[in-house]
């Protein structure tokens, strides 16, 4: 039972007791006793409710049913339950709740326990994800891990030559569904001690789109977009023991996560043909092409995770408290490697150096915090975070084969001799924060953060960041309050180098490169995760209630990141967000509300076009005619309004409605240097969504209510990445030809709920 429900019932009980006291002199004793018993029953007995009805969906649509399950045209069952029971002679109680029981987004939970002793719970949760129903594929076996070509397929060196393409295309639905089964048990061992254990089993089944490539260098890659099967199982166990007194609290726990994938790999037949003369994909060998060539992708491997945790809270004084957590974990993955290639016609003289990865990562997480109130007007907070990821995966050198298309190299002086890099990092984060009441109803907040991150095998071995924060919040009156805050961050890397290139390629290969070309990423490029950055964050908020019937809220956020030392890469980002929210209650039974939100995100990026033969000449100048610049501007505006009217028609009828409209616009603009061909204009990305919902309830009798709901939703979107892109639009990529989501749908529902 929630606090809100308890307070409501206490209020009902108090009002009925006053009524009984006043009416006792006027009502007969029997009537008084009946009223008294009814009030006591309402206070002491939890109410159960069941809702059953029928709804109807106007049209089929994956996008309309995403996450909620309403994708198929036609009727569906409305089912919601909340059943409770309590033994009046003991503290035993049970509860069964269920929502959306007639849909694939259903949830069902059952609890049984004894107050102050134990609780047993069982829950089932289901959630669908519908990606697209407009995708097409030429492959047989969609949904499995072995995709084959039609028996009459005619191969070609590019999609333009696929003469059997249109006859071979088949529709496929791309979606997946997650199901969770959770069993939990908690027990109060004594006044201070308690324990709990929880087991969760999750399955995820369906498919998603993945890119599959034959070849991987120069102009030889040929690719297809294919359905990847999803058949995952995750089992988790979490056990905790806790101790709590007024002064001291601590808890220790253990968690285990086991992930399994029913499919180790995805195999597909190569629809592209090898020929000995142009336009053959250069670098291929004959067995890689149609009809015998095939490719293989490794899918997410089985893995497991263990973690021991401990937390502590201690009240040092009435105004000072210390909290701390410690978590030690280990993640492992040791699934057998797939072979270098699945094509038996390719030459593979050197075997894999290992049969499996033997991946192992140890994690350590420490969080410490101290809060104090040394003076009535002053609050101080300090916290420290230590996060360490120690990757102990062994390294080995692999002579990989590029996309199942070529024979294995026989020399280490090749860019196909690579060593895996077990990435590790250590984070130290210190935060200091304090607020002081500088005047009546006015509070000043200041803070400072220091973060240091050390990484292995990355472009920046170490980055540090200082953040300074200041904020002011004031209550101008009982009706008006607001606040403003500003934060300035400065991140610096302690030297930037192409470490992954130097550590992953063989020394024999690096020695073959001329001086000044021994890099993978351009020397002027800075990855934004490690690049020097100056960040400014500003926030303003205002809450006002000029009248007891009116409530207004306004909030504005402005953020800017400036990568001043990045010649190439992400150079600047800016985001703005504004929200206005208003609610009005002109009458006791009428509420009106409206809101408007605007979000805008802009970014600037710089790049340089170069080939291996020209990268030396293009490595040092700060500017080049081979440079290109990209700016993106994404904006989403959302508007909503609604109303709710209660107790019409003698208190038996409630009515409400909500309307939402959202407009999204994405603009991309690219300019190029004089040495590059002019960039074609990129169409805008546009989406428009609107939703109108009307709902009403009518009390048929004291415990029975009729419910009616009407929902209209409409989505219009334009995405140049999908629209007008047929499966053979791109010469070297066979796509699915899917479309941007668009729909217009109406949903109606009628149900009856009964309480007792």
């Amino acid at each position: 039972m929630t606090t809100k429900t308890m307070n409501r019932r206490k209020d009902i009980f108090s009002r009925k007791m006053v009524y009984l006291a006043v009416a006792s002199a006027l009502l007969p004793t029997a009537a008084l006793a009946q009223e008294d018993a009814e009030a006591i029953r309402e206070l002491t007995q939890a109410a159960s409710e069941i809702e059953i009805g029928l709804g109807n969906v106007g049209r089929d649509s994956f996008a309309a049913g995403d996450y909620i399950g309403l994708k198929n045209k036609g009727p569906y069952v409305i089912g919601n339950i909340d059943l409770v029971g309590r033994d009046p002679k003991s503290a035993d109680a049970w509860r069964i709740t269920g929502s959306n029981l007639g849909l694939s987004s259903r949830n069902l939970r059952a609890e049984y326990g004894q107050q102050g002793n134990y609780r047993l719970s069982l829950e089932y949760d289901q959630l669908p994800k519908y990606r697209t129903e407009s995708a097409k594929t030429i492959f047989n076996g969609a949904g499995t891990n072995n995709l084959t070509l039609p028996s009459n397929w005619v191969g070609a060196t590019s999609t333009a030559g696929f003469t059997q393409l249109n006859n071979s295309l088949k529709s496929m639905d791309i979606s997946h569904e997650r199901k969770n089964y959770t069993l939990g048990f908690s027990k109060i061992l004594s006044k201070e001690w308690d324990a709990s254990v929880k087991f969760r089993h999750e399955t995820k089944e369906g498919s998603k789109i993945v890119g599959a490539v034959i070849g991987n260098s120069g102009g030889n890659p040929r690719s297809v977009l294919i359905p990847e099967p999803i058949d995952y199982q995750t089992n988790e166990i979490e056990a905790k023991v806790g101790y709590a007194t007024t002064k001291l609290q601590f808890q220790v726990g253990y968690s285990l996560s086991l992930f399994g994938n029913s499919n180790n790999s995805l195999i597909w037949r190569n629809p592209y043909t090898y020929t000995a003369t142009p336009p053959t994909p250069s670098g291929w060998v004959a067995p890689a092409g149609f009809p015998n060539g095939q490719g293989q992708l490794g899918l997410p491997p089985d893995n497991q995770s263990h973690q021991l945790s401990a937390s502590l809270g201690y009240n040092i004084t009435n105004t000072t408290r210390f909290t701390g957590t410690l978590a030690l974990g280990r993640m492992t993955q040791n699934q057998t490697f797939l072979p270098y290639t699945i094509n038996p016609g390719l030459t593979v003289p050197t075997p894999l150096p290992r049969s499996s990865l033997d991946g192992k990562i140890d994690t350590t997480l420490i969080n410490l915090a101290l809060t104090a109130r040394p003076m009535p007007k002053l609050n101080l907070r300090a916290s420290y975070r230590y996060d360490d990821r120690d990757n102990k995966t062994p390294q080995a050198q692999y002579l990989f084969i590029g996309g199942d298309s070529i024979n294995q190299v026989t020399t280490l002086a090749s860019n196909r001799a690579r060593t895996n890099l077990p990435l590790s990092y250590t984070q130290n984060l210190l935060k200091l924060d304090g607020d002081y009441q500088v005047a009546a109803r006015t509070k000043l907040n200041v803070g400072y953060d220091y973060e240091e991150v050390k990484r292995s095998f990355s472009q920046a071995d170490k980055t540090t960041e200082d953040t300074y924060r200041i904020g002011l919040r004031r209550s101008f009156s009982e009706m008006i309050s607001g606040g403003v805050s500003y934060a300035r961050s400065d991140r610096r890397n302690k030297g930037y180098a192409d470490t992954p290139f130097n550590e992953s390629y063989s020394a024999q290969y690096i020695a073959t490169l001329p001086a000044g070309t021994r890099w993978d990423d351009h020397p002027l490029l800075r990855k934004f995760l490690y690049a020097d950055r100056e960040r400014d964050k500003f926030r303003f908020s205002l809450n006002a209630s000029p009248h007891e019937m009116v409530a207004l809220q306004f909030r504005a956020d402005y953020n800017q990141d400036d990568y001043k030392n990045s010649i190439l890469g992400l150079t600047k980002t800016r985001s703005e967000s504004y929200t206005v929210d208003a609610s009005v209650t002109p009458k006791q039974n009428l509420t009106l509300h409206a809101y408007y939100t605007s979000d805008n995100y802009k970014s600037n990026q710089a790049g340089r076009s170069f080939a291996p033969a020209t990268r030396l000449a293009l490595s040092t100048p700060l500017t080049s005619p081979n440079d290109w610049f990209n700016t993106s501007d994404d904006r989403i505006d959302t508007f909503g309004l609604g109303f709710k009217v209660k107790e019409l028609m003698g208190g038996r009828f409630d009515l409400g409605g909500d309307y939402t409209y959202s407009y999204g616009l994405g603009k991309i603009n690219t300019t190029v240097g004089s040495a590059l061909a002019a960039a074609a204009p990129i169409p805008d990305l546009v989406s428009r969504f609107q939703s109108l919902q009307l709902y009403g309830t009518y009390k048929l009798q004291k415990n029975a209510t009729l419910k009616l709901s009407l929902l209209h939703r409409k989505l219009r979107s334009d995405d140049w990445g999908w629209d007008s892109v047929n499966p053979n639009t791109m010469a070297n990529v066979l796509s699915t030809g899917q479309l941007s989501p668009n729909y217009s749908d109406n949903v109606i529902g009628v149900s009856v709920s009964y309480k007792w």
Side-chain angles (χ1 to χ4, degrees):
M1 185 184 299
T2 65
T3 302
K4 182 178 180 180
T5 304
M6 292 179 63
N7 291 337
R8 174 178 171 271
R9 291 184 174 173
K10 288 179 180 178
D11 180 60
I12 292 173
F13 181 76
S14 299
R15 286 188 285 110
K16 289 195 173 184
M17 290 301 100
V18 171
Y19 170 78
L20 289 172
V22 174
S24 60
L26 303 176
L27 294 177
T29 304
L32 177 59
Q34 181 180 356
E35 180 75 13
D36 190 15
E38 194 173 303
I40 294 175
R41 275 198 307 271
E42 186 174 352
L43 178 66
T44 59
Q45 294 182 6
S48 294
E49 181 177 3
I50 183 171
E51 180 183 1
I52 188 70
L54 193 65
N56 186 75
V57 180
R59 294 183 180 179
D60 293 335
S61 174
F62 260 42
D66 194 21
Y67 290 117
I68 60 177
L70 294 173
K71 72 178 180 68
N72 294 324
K73 176 182 178 180
Y76 69 93
V77 175
I78 299 173
N80 300 288
I81 59 173
D82 187 0
L83 308 177
V84 294
R86 179 184 296 273
D87 187 343
K89 298 180 180 180
S90 69
D92 290 351
W94 58 269
R95 184 169 193 172
I96 300 175
T97 58
S99 60
N100 297 333
L101 297 180
L103 299 174
S104 57
S105 57
R106 61 181 59 90
N107 176 273
L108 184 63
R109 180 180 176 86
E111 292 180 316
Y112 181 85
Q114 188 178 88
Q115 185 176 352
N117 189 1
Y118 67 91
R119 173 174 292 184
L120 177 67
S121 64
L122 178 64
E123 183 173 9
Y124 171 78
D125 185 74
Q126 185 175 340
L127 189 68
K129 172 61 183 176
Y130 302 126
R131 296 185 180 273
T132 181
E133 75 273 44
S134 62
K136 296 178 176 62
T137 183
I138 61 172
F139 290 98
N140 299 320
T144 71
N145 67 340
N146 192 355
L147 303 177
T148 60
L149 292 168
S151 59
N152 63 342
W153 182 255
V154 178
T157 58
S158 69
T159 59
F162 291 156
T163 58
Q164 291 297 317
L165 175 62
N166 291 332
N167 294 331
S168 301
L169 289 173
K170 298 176 285 291
S171 297
M172 59 177 178
D173 295 340
I174 303 299
S175 63
H176 67 257
E177 192 170 68
R178 188 199 70 186
K179 297 179 181 179
N180 270 310
Y181 307 83
T182 305
L183 176 64
F185 179 75
S186 61
K187 169 73 174 174
I188 297 178
L189 304 175
S190 68
K191 183 179 179 181
E192 294 85 13
W193 291 90
D194 65 84
S196 65
V197 62
K198 181 169 66 175
F199 170 76
R200 185 175 73 93
H201 174 71
E202 178 183 284
T203 63
K204 185 181 291 186
E205 297 179 345
S207 61
K208 64 180 180 179
I209 297 294
V210 65
V213 181
I214 302 289
N216 76 336
S217 65
N220 74 20
R222 297 293 186 271
S223 62
V224 291
L225 298 183
I226 58 177
E228 175 187 326
I230 298 175
D231 192 357
Y232 305 157
Q233 307 86 39
T234 303
N235 292 294
E236 295 180 350
I237 296 177
E238 184 180 82
K240 297 178 181 179
V241 176
Y243 174 86
T245 64
T246 304
K247 195 174 187 66
L248 173 66
Q249 308 85 39
F250 72 83
Q251 186 180 81
V252 294
Y254 168 75
S255 61
L256 168 67
S257 177
L258 303 174
F259 171 81
N261 189 348
S262 298
N263 300 297
N264 295 331
S265 66
L266 174 59
I267 300 171
W268 75 97
R269 289 285 175 176
N270 185 8
Y272 296 92
T273 303
Y274 167 86
T275 60
T277 56
T280 179
S282 60
W284 283 21
V285 295
F290 176 81
N292 297 318
Q294 53 187 338
Q296 185 176 35
L297 281 173
L299 300 183
D302 298 350
N303 59 78
Q304 57 182 270
S305 172
H306 305 258
Q307 187 178 79
L308 290 171
S309 61
S311 60
L312 172 71
Y314 183 69
N315 297 331
I316 301 173
T317 67
N318 291 336
T319 58
T320 306
R321 178 172 173 80
F322 169 80
T323 59
T325 60
L326 169 65
L328 303 175
R330 169 164 290 184
M331 298 180 286
T332 59
Q333 187 272 103
N334 198 32
Q335 187 161 301
T336 302
F337 279 144
L338 299 175
Y340 275 128
T341 180
I342 194 174
N343 288 321
L346 302 185
T347 303
V348 188
T350 304
L352 284 160
R354 302 178 55 84
S355 61
S356 63
L357 180 67
D358 192 21
K360 183 186 300 180
I361 299 176
D362 290 340
T363 61
T364 302
L365 177 63
I366 300 174
N367 279 311
L368 305 175
L370 183 67
T371 60
R373 184 163 54 88
M375 298 187 298
K377 295 183 178 182
L378 177 64
N379 292 288
L380 300 175
R381 293 171 292 274
S383 65
Y384 169 72
R385 176 185 175 90
Y386 174 83
D387 187 2
D388 181 68
R389 177 190 176 101
D390 185 8
N391 195 333
K392 296 181 177 180
T393 302
Q395 292 184 267
Q397 191 174 66
Y398 300 85
L399 300 178
F400 76 94
I401 290 176
D404 291 292
S405 62
I406 61 175
N407 293 321
Q408 188 185 48
V409 298
T410 57
T411 174
L412 295 180
S414 167
N415 62 353
R416 301 193 186 279
R418 300 291 294 272
T419 299
N420 64 299
L421 304 179
L423 305 179
S424 299
Y425 70 82
T426 302
Q427 178 201 47
N428 289 279
L429 176 60
L430 175 66
K431 289 188 174 185
L432 302 174
D433 186 79
D435 56 68
Y436 183 74
Q437 186 176 334
V438 295
R441 297 182 176 180
T442 304
K443 185 173 289 187
L444 175 68
N445 175 268
V446 294
Y448 169 74
D449 303 342
Y450 175 78
E451 182 185 40
E452 175 191 87
V453 181
K454 295 180 180 179
R455 305 176 180 88
S456 65
F457 301 117
S458 73
Q459 285 78 2
D461 293 335
K462 179 180 176 181
T463 59
T464 61
E465 184 168 15
D466 297 279
T467 301
Y468 301 88
R469 291 174 280 108
I470 186 170
L472 187 68
R473 183 157 190 86
R474 176 173 175 78
S475 296
F476 299 96
S477 67
E478 293 183 357
M479 300 295 185
I480 302 176
S481 64
V484 60
S485 64
Y486 172 74
R488 169 76 173 187
S489 300
D490 189 0
R491 185 179 69 192
R492 293 290 180 264
N493 62 67
K494 304 301 181 181
Y496 194 96
D498 201 350
T499 302
F501 176 85
N502 297 319
E503 296 291 341
S504 65
Y505 285 101
S506 66
Q508 294 88 334
Y509 169 69
I510 293 177
T512 66
L513 301 176
T517 67
R518 297 171 180 176
W519 42 269
D520 196 359
D521 294 334
H522 197 285
L524 298 180
L525 175 68
R526 297 293 181 266
K527 292 187 175 181
F528 72 92
L529 290 175
Y530 315 130
D532 295 344
R533 181 193 67 196
E534 294 179 349
R535 168 173 287 177
D536 296 284
K537 301 180 71 173
F538 173 82
R539 173 174 292 178
F540 172 78
S541 63
L542 181 66
N543 300 322
S545 297
H547 189 275
E548 62 180 6
M549 297 181 180
V550 180
L552 303 173
Q553 293 182 338
F554 174 77
R555 176 171 168 173
D557 290 275
Y558 176 88
N559 303 320
Q560 178 172 295
D561 290 349
D562 196 344
Y563 302 87
K564 291 186 175 181
N565 296 327
S566 295
I567 306 301
L568 300 179
L570 187 64
T571 58
K572 181 176 288 188
T573 67
R574 188 181 73 187
S575 64
E576 302 174 19
S577 178
Y578 306 95
T579 300
V580 180
D581 196 331
S583 64
V584 181
T585 309
K587 295 182 179 181
Q588 187 175 2
N589 66 334
L590 174 62
T591 301
L592 307 173
H593 66 269
Y595 69 91
Y596 170 74
T597 298
S598 178
D599 295 297
N600 184 225
Y601 181 84
K602 298 180 180 180
S603 66
N604 298 334
Q605 185 178 359
R608 181 166 296 177
S609 175
F610 63 91
T614 62
R615 63 179 179 174
L616 178 60
L618 298 174
S619 63
T620 54
L622 297 182
T623 59
S624 166
N626 286 63
D627 288 345
W628 56 265
F629 304 92
N630 175 277
T631 61
S632 63
D633 187 348
D634 298 314
R635 179 168 185 149
I636 299 178
D637 294 289
T638 304
F639 166 75
L641 55 85
F643 72 95
K644 188 170 184 178
V645 187
K646 294 182 178 181
E647 299 179 348
L648 297 173
M649 300 174 63
R652 306 184 71 173
F653 184 53
D654 294 346
L655 179 66
D658 290 287
Y659 174 77
T660 301
Y661 177 81
S662 181
Y663 176 76
L665 177 64
K667 292 180 174 290
I668 302 174
N669 183 44
T670 301
T671 58
V672 300
S674 59
L676 302 177
I682 298 177
D684 293 342
L685 302 170
V686 182
S687 66
R688 300 176 179 86
F689 173 77
Q690 57 181 327
S691 171
L692 174 63
Q693 183 177 18
L694 297 174
Y695 51 90
T697 63
Y698 181 78
K699 287 187 178 181
L700 301 173
Q701 56 187 41
K702 181 178 180 180
N703 295 332
T705 302
L706 176 67
K707 298 181 178 181
L708 173 66
S709 64
L710 301 171
L711 174 63
H712 170 75
R713 294 174 299 166
K714 185 176 182 179
L715 173 67
R716 291 291 179 266
S717 62
D718 299 304
D719 186 340
W720 55 268
W722 295 115
D723 297 333
S724 300
V725 180
N726 296 318
N728 61 348
T729 296
M730 295 174 281
N732 298 334
V733 180
L734 181 59
S735 72
T736 61
Q738 66 193 72
L739 304 174
S740 301
N742 288 278
Y743 64 84
S744 180
D745 189 27
N746 297 302
V747 181
I748 184 172
V750 180
S751 63
V752 175
S753 68
Y754 182 77
K755 289 184 178 181
W756 69 94

